[in-house]
Amino acid sequence: MIMLSACLAGVDCRYDGGHNLRPHYKQLWQDGRAILVCPESLGGLCIPRPPAEITGGDGHDVLAGHARVKNRQGTDITEAFLHGAEKVLQLAKKHRVTAALLKERSPSCGATRIYDGTFSGAIRYGMGVTAALLQQNGIAVYSEENHPEL
């Protein structure tokens, strides 16, 4: 069983209320080969919501308490991201997930790249909070831009 960012299956859960539909991934879910998650929604954030970025590091740094997640207005929403990541990890364990296919550049789901925390559109290497937590718990993390054949 794999875990899939819900937005990649067409669920309108992006910060702006949209999705990132990739028909192949939606088919994986419809075929019962994937479970859908949106860590930000599971963490209690509304849809739509202001965009958020990690400041001071990446998801591993957030988990270690050395970085924070803030929205464009400067509100610290780290706790919602941590809560959502924990809920995703619980689901992964419950469903014996071995790999996660997540949305690149997301402050939750970014597998290799995230926005740099300046809200300027600049991207840097690093993982999102949920991706980092899954990886730390032995689950392979990939993005829609870099994954093995499914």
Side-chain angles (χ1 to χ4, degrees), residues 73-91:
Q73 287 73 28
T75 304
D76 188 321
I77 52 176
T78 304
E79 292 307 313
F81 275 73
L82 292 169
H83 184 67
E86 285 293 336
K87 284 190 165 189
V88 168
L89 179 59
Q90 290 171 6
L91 287 168

Side-chain angles (χ1 to χ4, degrees), residues 55-120:
T55 61
D58 75 351
H60 290 288
D61 298 309
V62 172
L63 294 171
H66 303 301
R68 308 300 290 174
V69 184
K70 295 183 179 180
N71 68 21
R72 185 183 299 268
Q73 287 73 28
T75 304
D76 188 321
I77 52 176
T78 304
E79 292 307 313
F81 275 73
L82 292 169
H83 184 67
E86 285 293 336
K87 284 190 165 189
V88 168
L89 179 59
Q90 290 171 6
L91 287 168
K93 289 179 177 180
K94 177 181 177 182
H95 293 280
R96 294 185 173 97
V97 167
T98 57
L101 179 61
L102 305 175
K103 179 66 185 109
E104 196 69 278
R105 294 179 297 282
S106 159
S108 289
C109 296
T112 61
R113 292 174 293 156
I114 57 173
Y115 290 100
D116 73 351
T118 64
F119 296 93
S120 66

Side-chain angles (χ1 to χ4, degrees), residues 16-32:
D16 61 3
H19 59 76
N20 296 298
L21 176 63
R22 303 293 193 278
H24 174 71
Y25 302 141
K26 183 175 184 176
Q27 191 63 51
L28 286 175
W29 170 63
Q30 290 173 329
D31 292 345

Side-chain angles (χ1 to χ4, degrees), residues 3 6 11 31-32 39 42-43 46 65 84 86 88 91-93 96 103 117 124-125 144-146:
M3 183 166 274
V11 176
D31 292 345
L42 288 169
C46 63
E86 285 293 336
V88 168
L91 287 168
K93 289 179 177 180
R96 294 185 173 97
K103 179 66 185 109
R124 67 180 197 83
Y125 287 103
E144 80 281 12
E145 297 173 2
N146 179 22

